[in-house]
Amino acid sequence: DSTTSKEMATRVIFLSQTIIGIFGNFSILYHYLFFPHSEFRLSFRHFILKHLMIANSLVILSTGVPQTLRALGLKYFFSDVGCSLLFYVQRLGRGMSIVTTCFLSVFQTIMISPMNSKWKDLKVKVPEYIGCSIPFCWSLDILVNFIVSAYTFIKLSSKNITKKDLGYCSTLGHDKILNSLYIALFVFPEVLFSGLIILSSSWMIFILYRHKQQVQHIHRTNVSSTSSPESRAIQSILVLVTTFVSFNTFTSIFYACIAVLYNPSWWLMNTTTLIALCFPTVSPFVLMSHDSTISRLCFLRVRNRKFP
């Protein structure tokens, strides 16, 4: 009975995460791509967020959907080609999620820096730099993941290799070349971008604290400085970045454990998937709750239908 209860709980959790995550990310993506924005002036920040939602959607579709199907009792429904393609999309989505979150944090830090700071010259140029960097990172990540996936597929096609059972398919077990490629092409950039996220977020907090100290003596206005759209946008990014760093740190630790162990337990596999899906699932609702522009974009059509 306890085993059955755990299996049922796992099914409900994965199914809920997948449905909620797809709904949240696709809602924002839909209104970014197809909804007329004549009433709102979308900033460059929303351009970065659009790419973040795309990366989140790739993670949910390639991680949440297979794990949900496995939890529902379906096993080994992917061939070697399907497995290689699945892990390709997983790595691509996870990598671009880290990159776009880093760009978002760095961009906002530069934009809120004082005009007399050393960042003032970058305020005008940073949208152009990041606007070119994001497509370049997509192209580079696609190429790098293709190389790793091609190597994995070639090794899987050969005989006398050890495979790691994931429930919905089997992947390549311990391989020195693959481990070296993974560390060089994924782990090192992930640590680098995560460090930049922490540094830029810390500097953003310092700027906000210093600004708050400077305006404490102003009491004549009835509107708090933290109620401005800019302040709300900064708060939303800080909450988003904090959520990302927390979940990403735990996800990286659990992924490392899976990579080291020859036969990881189902508990470890399920926990890793659960944590890996937390940020892609939660981030759209964090943005909706803190960003008034996104909230209005997502709910304007419903409101207009009720009150034409």
Side-chain angles (χ1 to χ4, degrees):
D1 293 339
S2 61
T3 303
T4 305
S5 301
K6 290 180 181 179
E7 291 177 354
M8 183 60 66
T10 302
R11 294 172 185 174
V12 172
I13 291 173
F14 283 146
L15 185 61
S16 301
Q17 269 191 313
T18 303
I19 293 175
I20 294 172
I22 290 175
F23 171 76
N25 286 279
F26 276 51
S27 294
I28 296 180
L29 270 178
Y30 171 78
H31 290 281
Y32 273 156
L33 297 175
F34 302 109
F35 196 75
H37 301 145
S38 57
E39 297 187 25
F40 306 105
R41 183 177 63 85
L42 296 181
S43 65
F44 185 75
R45 178 172 56 87
H46 293 95
F47 168 78
I48 304 176
L49 289 174
K50 178 172 67 176
H51 285 272
L52 178 60
M53 296 300 106
I54 294 174
N56 285 347
S57 301
L58 292 179
V59 173
I60 292 174
L61 292 175
S62 60
T63 304
V65 173
Q67 288 289 357
T68 301
L69 294 176
R70 182 190 64 78
L72 292 174
L74 298 177
K75 293 186 177 181
Y76 307 108
F77 44 87
F78 284 108
S79 61
D80 289 344
V81 176
C83 264
S84 299
L85 180 61
L86 188 68
F87 295 133
Y88 173 86
V89 177
Q90 284 181 9
R91 290 189 297 263
L92 178 63
R94 177 174 167 80
M96 287 309 302
S97 178
I98 296 173
V99 170
T100 50
T101 304
C102 180
F103 282 152
L104 181 65
S105 181
V106 171
F107 168 76
Q108 194 65 57
T109 302
I110 294 175
M111 296 308 292
I112 70 170
S113 60
M115 289 300 297
N116 58 354
S117 69
K118 59 184 178 181
W119 302 105
K120 62 180 180 180
D121 296 333
L122 283 175
K123 283 180 178 284
V124 179
K125 298 180 180 180
V126 68
E128 179 183 354
Y129 292 158
I130 295 181
C132 296
S133 298
I134 289 180
F136 172 76
C137 288
W138 274 106
S139 302
L140 183 62
D141 216 1
I142 288 172
L143 177 61
V144 168
N145 280 284
F146 176 79
I147 295 173
V148 175
S149 296
Y151 173 81
T152 304
F153 178 71
I154 292 173
K155 292 290 290 185
L156 286 173
S157 301
S158 62
K159 297 180 180 180
N160 299 324
I161 60 168
T162 58
K163 291 186 177 182
K164 185 175 293 185
D165 182 17
L166 299 178
Y168 49 88
C169 67
S170 298
T171 186
L172 188 64
H174 284 265
D175 184 87
K176 292 183 178 180
I177 297 178
L178 183 62
N179 291 341
S180 300
L181 286 173
Y182 187 81
I183 293 173
L185 300 178
F186 299 105
V187 176
F188 178 74
E190 181 177 323
V191 173
L192 177 62
F193 281 113
S194 298
L196 289 174
I197 291 172
I198 295 173
L199 287 175
S200 59
S201 301
S202 301
W203 183 247
M204 197 187 311
I205 294 173
F206 172 74
I207 294 174
L208 291 175
Y209 176 77
R210 187 171 60 179
H211 174 71
K212 183 178 180 180
Q213 294 294 107
Q214 291 173 349
V215 300
Q216 271 185 344
H217 65 282
I218 301 176
H219 300 288
R220 290 174 297 178
T221 178
N222 293 326
V223 181
S224 172
S225 61
T226 58
S227 63
S228 65
E230 293 80 7
S231 297
R232 289 195 298 269
I234 294 167
Q235 290 172 5
S236 69
I237 292 174
L238 284 175
V239 174
L240 187 71
V241 167
T242 303
T243 305
F244 171 81
V245 171
S246 301
F247 287 126
N248 185 65
T249 301
F250 284 108
T251 303
S252 300
I253 294 173
F254 277 92
Y255 272 138
C257 294
I258 291 177
V260 170
L261 297 175
Y262 282 93
N263 292 309
S265 64
W266 288 117
W267 176 88
L268 180 61
M269 298 289 294
N270 290 334
T271 304
T272 303
T273 304
L274 176 67
I275 299 175
L277 290 174
C278 281
F279 177 75
T281 302
V282 171
S283 56
F285 301 97
V286 171
L287 293 170
M288 290 181 193
S289 62
H290 288 82
D291 194 313
S292 58
T293 302
I294 295 178
S295 300
R296 284 181 288 172
L297 281 175
C298 290
F299 298 111
L300 180 64
R301 176 167 294 184
V302 176
R303 186 183 64 189
N304 286 342
R305 285 177 178 175
K306 291 182 179 179
F307 306 102

